[in-house]
Amino acid sequence: MAHAPADSVTAQDREAWLAHFSRERANVVAKNAVTSVGIRAAARVPEGVAANAMGFDVEVPQGDRCDQQRSGRCWMFASLNTMRQAVIERLGLKTLELSQSYPLFFDKLEKANWFLVNAIDTVDEPLDGRLVSYLLQDPVADGGQWDMFRSIVKKYGVVTKEAMPETACSRNTSELDRYLTRYLRGCAMRLRRAHAEGADAAELDGLRRTMMADVHSMLVTCLGEPPASFEVRLRDKDGRLVLHGTYTPHEFFSDVVQMDVDALVSCISAETADKPLMHAFTVDRLGNVVEDGGVRYLNLPMSRLKELAVAQLRDGRPVWFGCDVAQSYVRDEGIMSCGALQVDELFGFAVEGCMDREERLDYGESAMTHAMVLEGVRLDAEGRPEVWKVENSWGKDHGREGFDTITDDWFDQYVYQVVVDRRYLTDEERSVMDGAEAIVLAPWDPMGSLA
């Protein structure tokens, strides 16, 4: 028998490792617990969970909990939940839900067009190169960014949920995404072949338009036809009719929602070597509405993100934010806390603690994966945040009647973005945000991830 190479795992290695493992009582207890209930349940710390009691110094009441179900529309739900709060307050409503399938329709439509435009723009790039491979990977992902939602709303307006309700394909987007992605990859193939056969720019654009007609047909088939106008009848908490009439989506947005989406800016905190603070950033080829451009961020220290969030909450306005939701998360109880799970203690060596925040970003361990809404905060005697109240979009049966909590140490580690009114920024911050120059990040940068 041939000898194993020096760097292989040998039977002697395994015997030594098992003997070392078995000598430690804690390892045996951990094995029995984890194999019975799983890692997070075994690592749960009751004292850490208890520190996440509900009760806040600043709180912005919202309507009933919403549920994105089996879709990746958290950024849309968070955006619409932020948007509805002022309407609920102004009209004295008990609740209000705006249609999430309406922006889904137009986001898919615009993302498909964005993809085809990029496919034409990269026809001379190698098919197996990193850029084209990345563009083909997930052309119409459910996720998005605040700037992309703003683009959709400005172009198409908003409607009530009754005007465009959920469908089987909006509640569970997997089938729509699968078939639309397959079709778009085929479109990219046809565009590249047409270019190789000598098609000029006008001919390629003609193909794109024909392809987009098919995309539109697929979306109407799966999501229904978006309304050109719709009837609205809203009653307040006492049952009085406070709003009625027929609106177009743009009229409803301007006359009823009355939200200045252009006043809201995305602030991130990513203190990695390639992302200096107090600079504006954009992400190459990230967006949906072609004529509205992509995304733009202002990079600030984490302490500043918290100050901005608290300031907006104090003024009675919820805060859209992006985070890495799966980290240190007691999901059933709706608790995001670095002290609620002791994973490293369970295994006996650093697992969660093996990298700091910046290292996690650099090595692909962390990115924005979910968007939610901050709607409250508990402060200590010096006015510093202790626990944040979070409105999620996973239904009223999730967490504590649809709410989560975030401890401030978790915020430090896993929150990456807040969206706030520009009036809370300093003059210097506004100048940087509005300046002509923005550092362009690669499409696959972690700040380009979709919530």
Side-chain angles (χ1 to χ4, degrees):
M1 177 181 290
H3 291 291
D7 54 2
S8 68
V9 173
T10 67
Q12 290 78 14
D13 289 332
R14 299 196 309 274
E15 289 174 5
W17 296 337
L18 183 58
H20 175 77
F21 179 91
S22 302
R23 281 196 296 269
E24 296 291 332
R25 174 180 174 274
N27 290 340
V28 177
V29 173
K31 177 195 67 174
N32 294 342
V34 171
T35 54
S36 298
V37 300
I39 295 172
R40 293 197 180 193
R44 182 182 179 276
V45 181
E47 295 82 3
V49 171
N52 284 264
M54 302 289 274
F56 304 91
D57 300 299
V58 181
E59 197 165 0
V60 182
Q62 291 272 75
D64 294 340
R65 305 283 69 75
C66 302
D67 191 351
Q68 69 185 76
Q69 300 186 60
R70 297 180 65 185
S71 72
R73 296 174 290 165
C74 60
W75 61 294
M76 290 181 181
F77 275 74
S79 300
L80 292 168
N81 288 345
T82 301
M83 184 175 286
R84 68 177 178 160
Q85 184 265 341
V87 183
I88 291 173
E89 183 177 326
R90 187 172 66 252
L91 298 180
L93 308 177
K94 178 179 180 293
T95 190
L96 173 68
E97 191 164 355
L98 301 171
S99 173
Q100 301 94 1
S101 61
Y102 182 81
L104 176 68
F105 182 100
F106 289 111
D107 179 61
K108 295 294 185 189
L109 185 73
E110 293 287 350
K111 277 178 178 168
N113 188 56
W114 181 280
F115 171 77
L116 294 177
V117 168
N118 276 283
I120 293 172
D121 187 55
T122 58
V123 288
D124 289 320
E125 295 284 335
L127 182 60
D128 60 353
R130 186 170 188 182
L131 177 57
V132 174
S133 296
Y134 180 83
L135 293 174
L136 290 170
Q137 182 178 323
D138 199 0
V140 285
D142 281 359
Q145 278 290 334
W146 163 258
D147 287 350
M148 296 161 66
F149 181 80
R150 180 192 62 206
S151 297
I152 292 293
V153 167
K154 288 174 65 177
K155 187 169 182 177
Y156 297 105
V158 295
V159 305
T160 60
K161 187 158 189 173
E162 292 80 5
M164 189 167 178
E166 297 285 277
T167 71
C169 291
S170 67
R171 288 189 292 267
N172 183 346
T173 55
S174 60
E175 287 188 332
L176 169 59
D177 288 346
R178 183 179 304 115
Y179 288 111
L180 183 53
T181 295
R182 180 168 181 156
Y183 178 72
L184 289 172
R185 287 171 178 159
C187 290
M189 176 191 69
R190 290 159 56 196
L191 289 167
R192 291 175 69 89
R193 286 181 177 174
H195 170 70
E197 293 167 1
D200 61 19
E203 291 171 316
L204 292 178
D205 191 62
L207 282 173
R208 177 189 63 82
R209 292 182 179 278
T210 300
M211 294 165 178
M212 283 303 300
D214 290 340
V215 169
H216 185 270
S217 176
M218 183 181 292
L219 291 173
V220 173
T221 301
C222 295
L223 301 174
E225 183 180 349
S229 63
F230 59 102
E231 183 73 18
V232 178
R233 297 180 68 84
L234 298 179
R235 295 184 180 275
D236 67 11
K237 296 175 183 177
D238 299 319
R240 294 187 294 260
L241 187 65
V242 291
L243 183 73
H244 64 91
T246 302
Y247 294 85
T248 67
H250 279 109
E251 289 170 344
F252 188 76
F253 175 59
S254 62
D255 298 349
V256 180
V257 175
Q258 300 178 12
M259 185 180 195
D260 183 3
V261 291
D262 286 326
L264 296 168
V265 294
S266 291
C267 300
I268 62 169
S269 186
E271 298 185 45
T272 51
D274 63 331
K275 299 181 184 68
L277 296 175
M278 280 301 289
H279 281 72
F281 291 85
T282 187
V283 181
D284 188 27
R285 302 182 190 272
L286 175 61
N288 51 5
V289 178
V290 169
E291 65 269 26
D292 205 33
V295 302
R296 191 176 180 95
Y297 305 134
L298 175 63
N299 195 20
L300 298 172
M302 176 56 69
S303 59
R304 185 66 179 132
L305 257 61
K306 295 178 187 179
E307 291 173 358
L308 293 168
V310 171
Q312 186 158 299
L313 288 171
R314 285 189 183 278
D315 283 345
R317 300 178 63 186
V319 178
W320 190 107
F321 77 104
C323 67
D324 190 356
V325 71
Q327 305 276 8
S328 298
Y329 190 18
V330 186
R331 178 165 178 155
D332 289 344
E333 295 170 89
I335 292 171
M336 286 162 264
S337 169
C338 296
L341 296 174
Q342 292 184 339
V343 173
D344 291 357
E345 288 78 4
L346 182 70
F347 287 114
F349 52 90
V351 178
E352 288 200 329
C354 69
M355 290 182 280
D356 64 23
R357 177 185 171 95
E358 288 70 42
E359 291 163 345
R360 288 193 295 270
L361 287 173
D362 285 338
Y363 283 84
E365 168 55 24
S366 190
M368 284 183 283
T369 60
H370 193 50
M372 297 178 283
V373 177
L374 297 172
E375 73 166 56
V377 62
R378 182 162 73 239
L379 306 170
D380 66 14
E382 284 72 43
R384 294 171 301 205
E386 290 184 325
V387 179
W388 303 79
K389 182 182 180 184
V390 174
E391 179 184 17
N392 208 333
S393 53
W394 292 343
K396 64 180 178 62
D397 296 328
H398 164 77
R400 283 160 284 183
E401 298 183 350
F403 293 105
D404 289 343
T405 55
I406 290 178
T407 55
D408 199 55
D409 61 346
W410 195 95
F411 198 111
D412 284 333
Q413 294 299 319
Y414 301 114
V415 171
Y416 294 110
Q417 179 182 10
V418 300
V419 174
V420 296
D421 196 295
R422 63 174 54 247
R423 66 192 175 96
Y424 299 110
L425 302 179
T426 65
D427 290 342
E428 182 184 7
E429 290 166 345
R430 280 191 291 270
S431 177
V432 173
M433 186 65 182
D434 298 335
E437 296 298 323
I439 298 173
V440 181
L441 301 174
W444 42 83
D445 188 274
M447 290 300 106
S449 63
L450 300 182

